[in-house]
Coordinates of all heavy atoms in Angstrom, one line a residue:
D1 N -54.0 164.7 131.1 CA -54.6 163.3 130.8 C -55.3 163.3 129.5 O -55.5 162.3 128.9 CB -55.5 162.9 131.9 CG -54.7 162.6 133.2 OD1 -53.5 162.4 133.1 OD2 -55.3 162.7 134.3
S2 N -55.9 164.5 129.1 CA -56.7 164.5 127.9 C -55.9 164.8 126.6 O -56.4 164.8 125.5 CB -57.8 165.6 128.0 OG -57.1 166.9 128.2
G3 N -54.6 164.9 126.8 CA -53.7 165.2 125.6 C -53.0 166.5 125.8 O -52.6 166.9 126.9
S4 N -52.9 167.2 124.7 CA -52.2 168.5 124.7 C -53.0 169.5 125.5 O -54.2 169.6 125.4 CB -51.9 169.0 123.3 OG -51.4 170.3 123.3
L5 N -52.3 170.3 126.3 CA -52.9 171.5 126.9 C -53.5 172.5 125.9 O -54.3 173.3 126.2 CB -51.9 172.1 127.8 CG -51.5 171.4 129.1 CD1 -50.4 172.1 129.8 CD2 -52.7 171.3 130.1
D6 N -52.9 172.4 124.7 CA -53.3 173.3 123.6 C -54.3 172.7 122.7 O -54.2 172.9 121.5 CB -52.1 173.9 122.9 CG -51.2 174.6 123.8 OD1 -51.7 175.3 124.7 OD2 -50.0 174.5 123.7
S7 N -55.2 171.9 123.1 CA -56.2 171.2 122.3 C -57.6 171.4 122.8 O -57.8 171.5 124.0 CB -55.8 169.8 122.1 OG -56.0 169.1 123.3
I8 N -58.5 171.4 121.8 CA -59.9 171.5 122.1 C -60.7 170.4 121.3 O -60.4 170.2 120.1 CB -60.5 172.9 121.7 CG1 -59.9 174.0 122.5 CG2 -62.0 172.9 121.9 CD1 -60.3 175.4 122.1
W9 N -61.5 169.7 122.0 CA -62.3 168.7 121.4 C -63.7 169.3 121.0 O -64.5 169.5 121.8 CB -62.6 167.5 122.3 CG -61.3 166.6 122.4 CD1 -60.4 166.7 123.4 CD2 -60.9 165.6 121.6 NE1 -59.4 165.8 123.2 CE2 -59.7 165.1 122.1 CE3 -61.4 165.0 120.4 CZ2 -59.0 164.0 121.5 CZ3 -60.7 164.0 119.8 CH2 -59.5 163.5 120.3
A10 N -63.8 169.6 119.7 CA -65.1 170.2 119.2 C -66.2 169.2 119.2 O -67.4 169.5 119.3 CB -64.9 170.8 117.8
L11 N -65.9 167.9 118.9 CA -66.8 166.8 119.0 C -66.2 165.6 119.7 O -64.9 165.4 119.6 CB -67.2 166.3 117.5 CG -68.0 167.3 116.7 CD1 -68.1 166.7 115.3 CD2 -69.4 167.5 117.2
K12 N -67.0 164.9 120.4 CA -66.4 163.7 121.1 C -67.4 162.6 121.1 O -68.5 162.7 121.7 CB -66.2 164.1 122.6 CG -65.3 163.1 123.4 CD -63.9 163.0 122.8 CE -63.1 162.0 123.6 NZ -61.7 161.8 123.0
D13 N -67.1 161.5 120.4 CA -67.8 160.2 120.4 C -69.3 160.4 120.0 O -70.2 160.0 120.7 CB -67.8 159.6 121.8 CG -66.4 158.9 122.1 OD1 -65.7 158.6 121.2 OD2 -66.1 158.8 123.3
V14 N -69.5 161.1 118.9 CA -70.8 161.3 118.3 C -71.2 160.2 117.4 O -70.5 160.0 116.4 CB -70.9 162.7 117.6 CG1 -72.2 162.9 116.9 CG2 -70.6 163.8 118.6
S15 N -72.3 159.6 117.6 CA -72.7 158.5 116.8 C -74.2 158.6 116.5 O -75.0 158.9 117.4 CB -72.5 157.1 117.5 OG -71.1 156.9 117.7
F16 N -74.6 158.4 115.2 CA -76.0 158.4 114.8 C -76.2 157.9 113.4 O -75.2 157.9 112.7 CB -76.6 159.8 114.9 CG -75.9 160.9 114.0 CD1 -76.3 161.0 112.7 CD2 -74.9 161.7 114.6 CE1 -75.6 162.0 111.9 CE2 -74.2 162.6 113.8 CZ -74.6 162.7 112.4
D17 N -77.4 157.5 113.1 CA -77.7 157.0 111.7 C -78.9 157.9 111.2 O -79.8 158.2 112.0 CB -78.2 155.6 111.7 CG -77.0 154.6 112.0 OD1 -75.9 155.0 112.0 OD2 -77.3 153.4 112.1
V18 N -78.8 158.4 110.0 CA -79.8 159.1 109.3 C -80.3 158.3 108.2 O -79.5 158.0 107.3 CB -79.4 160.5 108.9 CG1 -80.5 161.2 108.2 CG2 -78.9 161.3 110.1
K19 N -81.6 158.0 108.1 CA -82.2 157.2 107.0 C -82.4 158.1 105.8 O -82.6 159.3 105.9 CB -83.5 156.6 107.5 CG -83.3 155.5 108.5 CD -84.6 154.8 108.9 CE -84.4 153.7 109.9 NZ -85.7 153.0 110.2
A20 N -82.4 157.5 104.7 CA -82.6 158.2 103.4 C -84.0 158.8 103.4 O -85.0 158.2 103.8 CB -82.5 157.2 102.2
G21 N -84.1 160.1 103.0 CA -85.4 160.8 103.0 C -85.7 161.5 104.3 O -86.7 162.1 104.4
E22 N -84.9 161.3 105.4 CA -85.2 162.0 106.6 C -84.7 163.4 106.6 O -83.7 163.8 105.9 CB -84.4 161.2 107.8 CG -85.2 160.5 108.7 CD -84.5 160.0 109.9 OE1 -83.5 159.3 109.8 OE2 -85.0 160.3 111.0
V23 N -85.4 164.3 107.4 CA -85.0 165.6 107.6 C -84.7 165.8 109.0 O -85.5 165.7 109.9 CB -86.1 166.6 107.2 CG1 -85.6 168.1 107.3 CG2 -86.6 166.4 105.7
V24 N -83.4 166.1 109.3 CA -82.9 166.1 110.7 C -82.4 167.5 111.0 O -81.6 168.1 110.3 CB -81.7 165.1 110.8 CG1 -81.2 165.1 112.3 CG2 -82.1 163.7 110.5
G25 N -82.9 168.0 112.1 CA -82.5 169.3 112.6 C -81.4 169.1 113.6 O -81.5 168.2 114.5
I26 N -80.4 169.9 113.6 CA -79.2 169.8 114.5 C -79.2 171.1 115.3 O -79.0 172.2 114.7 CB -77.9 169.6 113.8 CG1 -78.0 168.3 112.9 CG2 -76.8 169.5 114.8 CD1 -76.8 168.1 112.1
I27 N -79.4 171.0 116.6 CA -79.5 172.2 117.4 C -78.5 172.2 118.6 O -78.0 171.1 118.9 CB -80.9 172.5 118.0 CG1 -81.4 171.3 118.8 CG2 -81.9 172.7 116.8 CD1 -82.7 171.5 119.4
G28 N -78.2 173.3 119.2 CA -77.3 173.4 120.3 C -76.8 174.8 120.3 O -76.9 175.6 119.4
R29 N -76.1 175.2 121.4 CA -75.6 176.5 121.6 C -74.4 176.7 120.7 O -73.8 175.8 120.2 CB -75.2 176.7 123.1 CG -76.3 176.5 124.1 CD -75.8 176.8 125.5 NE -75.5 178.2 125.7 CZ -75.2 178.8 126.9 NH1 -75.2 178.0 127.9 NH2 -74.9 180.1 126.9
N30 N -74.0 178.0 120.6 CA -72.8 178.3 119.9 C -71.6 177.6 120.5 O -71.5 177.6 121.8 CB -72.5 179.8 119.9 CG -73.5 180.6 119.0 OD1 -74.1 180.0 118.1 ND2 -73.7 181.9 119.3
G31 N -70.8 176.9 119.7 CA -69.7 176.2 120.3 C -70.0 174.7 120.6 O -69.2 174.0 121.1
A32 N -71.3 174.3 120.4 CA -71.7 172.9 120.7 C -71.1 171.9 119.7 O -71.1 170.7 120.1 CB -73.2 172.8 120.7
G33 N -70.6 172.3 118.6 CA -70.0 171.4 117.6 C -70.8 171.2 116.3 O -70.5 170.4 115.5
K34 N -71.9 172.0 116.2 CA -72.8 171.8 115.0 C -72.1 172.0 113.7 O -72.2 171.2 112.8 CB -74.0 172.8 115.2 CG -74.8 172.7 116.5 CD -76.0 173.6 116.5 CE -75.6 175.1 116.3 NZ -74.8 175.6 117.4
S35 N -71.4 173.2 113.6 CA -70.8 173.5 112.3 C -69.6 172.5 112.0 O -69.4 172.2 110.9 CB -70.3 174.9 112.3 OG -71.4 175.8 112.4
T36 N -68.9 172.1 113.1 CA -67.8 171.2 112.9 C -68.4 169.8 112.4 O -67.8 169.2 111.4 CB -67.1 170.9 114.2 OG1 -66.5 172.1 114.7 CG2 -66.0 169.9 114.1
L37 N -69.5 169.4 112.9 CA -70.1 168.2 112.4 C -70.5 168.3 111.0 O -70.2 167.3 110.2 CB -71.4 167.8 113.3 CG -72.2 166.6 112.9 CD1 -71.3 165.3 112.9 CD2 -73.4 166.5 113.7
L38 N -71.1 169.4 110.6 CA -71.5 169.5 109.2 C -70.3 169.6 108.2 O -70.3 169.1 107.1 CB -72.3 170.8 109.0 CG -73.7 170.8 109.6 CD1 -74.5 172.0 109.1 CD2 -74.4 169.5 109.5
K39 N -69.2 170.2 108.7 CA -67.9 170.2 107.9 C -67.4 168.8 107.7 O -66.9 168.5 106.6 CB -66.9 171.1 108.5 CG -67.2 172.6 108.4 CD -66.2 173.5 109.1 CE -66.5 174.9 109.0 NZ -65.5 175.8 109.7
I40 N -67.5 168.0 108.7 CA -67.0 166.6 108.6 C -67.9 165.8 107.6 O -67.5 165.1 106.8 CB -67.0 165.9 110.0 CG1 -65.9 166.5 110.8 CG2 -66.8 164.4 109.8 CD1 -65.9 166.0 112.3
L41 N -69.3 166.0 107.8 CA -70.2 165.4 106.9 C -70.0 165.8 105.4 O -70.2 165.0 104.5 CB -71.6 165.7 107.3 CG -72.1 165.1 108.7 CD1 -73.5 165.7 109.1 CD2 -72.1 163.6 108.6
S42 N -69.6 167.1 105.2 CA -69.4 167.6 103.9 C -68.0 167.3 103.4 O -67.6 167.7 102.2 CB -69.6 169.1 103.9 OG -70.9 169.5 104.4
R43 N -67.2 166.6 104.1 CA -65.8 166.2 103.7 C -64.9 167.4 103.6 O -63.9 167.3 102.9 CB -65.8 165.4 102.4 CG -66.8 164.2 102.4 CD -66.4 163.2 103.4 NE -67.4 162.1 103.5 CZ -67.2 160.8 103.2 NH1 -66.0 160.5 102.9 NH2 -68.1 159.9 103.3
I44 N -65.2 168.5 104.3 CA -64.3 169.6 104.3 C -63.2 169.4 105.2 O -62.1 169.9 105.0 CB -65.1 170.9 104.6 CG1 -66.1 171.2 103.5 CG2 -64.2 172.1 104.9 CD1 -67.1 172.3 103.8
T45 N -63.5 168.8 106.4 CA -62.4 168.4 107.3 C -62.6 167.0 107.7 O -63.7 166.4 107.6 CB -62.5 169.3 108.6 OG1 -61.4 169.1 109.4 CG2 -63.8 169.1 109.4
R46 N -61.6 166.4 108.2 CA -61.6 165.0 108.6 C -61.8 164.8 110.1 O -61.2 165.6 110.8 CB -60.3 164.2 108.1 CG -60.1 164.3 106.7 CD -58.8 163.6 106.3 NE -58.8 162.2 106.8 CZ -58.1 161.2 106.2 NH1 -57.4 161.5 105.1 NH2 -58.1 160.0 106.7
P47 N -62.5 163.8 110.5 CA -62.5 163.6 112.0 C -61.2 163.1 112.5 O -60.4 162.4 111.9 CB -63.6 162.5 112.1 CG -63.6 161.7 110.8 CD -63.2 162.7 109.8

């Protein structure tokens, strides 16, 4: 039902706004999706 048996969702329905001048810490366990999120924000990979 979730799609391919050979797929992993590193991020799922993540929404937030960051205001200009804000310093935001992103925390979570290994595999939580932190690095994937930063790669998307850096335009290294597409969502």
Side-chain angles (χ1 to χ4, degrees):
D1 295 336
S2 61
S4 172
L5 287 173
D6 300 324
S7 68
I8 297 173
W9 287 93
L11 292 172
K12 194 66 179 175
D13 288 333
V14 173
S15 299
F16 59 86
D17 291 350
V18 177
K19 293 184 178 180
E22 252 191 302
V23 183
V24 181
I26 303 173
I27 60 178
R29 300 184 68 172
N30 289 338
K34 305 184 299 297
S35 296
T36 299
L37 177 60
L38 294 196
K39 287 178 181 178
I40 292 174
L41 293 172
S42 303
R43 308 297 176 118
I44 293 173
T45 188
R46 298 178 59 151

